[in-house]
Amino acid sequence: MKIIDTKIPDVKIIEPAVFGDDRGFFMETWSQAKFEELVTGKPTHFVQDNHSKSKKGILRGLHYQAVNTQAKLVRVVSGEVFDVAVDIRQDSPTFGQWVGVYLSAENKRQLWVPEGFAHGFYVVSQEAEFVYKCTDYYNAESEVSIKWDDEVLDIKWPLNEGLPLVSEKDMNALSFEQSPKVETFKC
């Protein structure tokens, strides 16, 4: 397992060791001990796994929970996405900054998105299947959506043609300035 730092120190790219030959490949996608030693440096407990499938041009996010904050370990098992994490921790030195990383079935990379980050992704392949582990349960009452095209954040999405397809919830999302922030810098 190789850990790659991003411009936000708490967000990490994880490249698993992949062993392959003409029959296919094998890789370890999760190891509690290695993850805690190399990524978080502290006990990390996942309680929920999610799996979504989206077509080209779909943008999901930017989502987070204001209460029951979740950290996520995300990866793509089919296709490719541009994955984004935005720091919404008010007392963080990287507050309001974002990291964007291509995740694909081909590169097999994973992204560690700690608590206190909004998260979203844009599908660049014909379709993509996206899986992720969460450190807390989904809580619909505390879910917040920040506008994907917020001017303050100025995320450079690699849009194919025109506007992305977004859900009604994401069309009605809050601006970064309007959205509730996470007050405790936990990482």
Side-chain angles (χ1 to χ4, degrees):
M1 176 186 304
K2 178 181 175 187
I3 308 304
I4 302 168
D5 293 327
T6 68
K7 70 179 185 178
I8 299 178
D10 296 322
V11 177
K12 305 285 187 192
I13 299 168
I14 301 164
E15 283 188 350
V18 180
F19 306 95
D21 57 27
D22 58 349
R23 298 170 299 154
F25 71 89
F26 170 84
M27 69 180 194
E28 183 178 80
T29 61
W30 170 248
S31 167
Q32 184 86 28
K34 286 181 187 175
F35 186 79
E36 290 173 356
E37 175 190 350
L38 300 173
V39 179
T40 64
K42 63 181 181 181
T44 305
H45 181 70
F46 291 105
V47 299
Q48 181 176 320
D49 281 7
N50 298 320
H51 186 146
S52 71
K53 182 176 182 179
S54 303
K55 295 179 181 178
K56 184 175 189 169
I58 299 288
L59 193 148
R60 297 185 185 270
L62 301 160
H63 303 148
Y64 68 98
Q65 293 183 175
V67 179
N68 304 106
T69 57
Q70 297 175 309
K72 297 175 182 174
L73 180 61
V74 302
R75 67 187 180 105
V76 170
V77 295
S78 174
E80 182 176 34
V81 306
F82 182 71
D83 198 72
V84 172
V86 178
D87 192 345
I88 57 170
R89 304 168 298 175
Q90 284 185 317
D91 49 354
S92 166
T94 56
F95 175 71
Q97 294 181 29
W98 61 273
V99 168
V101 176
Y102 285 95
L103 303 177
S104 69
E106 186 174 315
N107 71 24
K108 297 176 181 42
R109 286 180 159 184
Q110 299 179 43
L111 188 67
W112 168 242
V113 181
E115 292 177 352
F117 283 76
H119 174 258
F121 64 91
Y122 175 71
V123 180
V124 296
S125 57
Q126 287 304 312
E127 63 181 24
E129 291 194 47
F130 190 85
V131 297
Y132 54 106
K133 303 174 99 44
C134 300
T135 59
D136 208 333
Y137 296 102
Y138 175 68
N139 179 345
E141 289 85 41
S142 74
E143 185 176 35
V144 178
S145 236
I146 298 174
K147 291 182 181 199
W148 66 271
D149 60 350
D150 184 88
E151 291 179 8
V152 171
L153 297 177
D154 194 28
I155 297 170
K156 305 297 184 207
W157 298 98
L159 302 179
N160 291 323
E161 294 176 14
L163 294 176
L165 301 171
V166 298
S167 68
E168 186 174 332
K169 172 181 72 176
D170 291 340
M171 274 195 267
N172 298 313
L174 301 173
S175 71
F176 178 69
E177 291 180 350
Q178 294 171 323
S179 65
K181 308 304 183 286
V182 176
E183 294 183 17
T184 304
F185 181 45
K186 294 183 175 184
C187 296

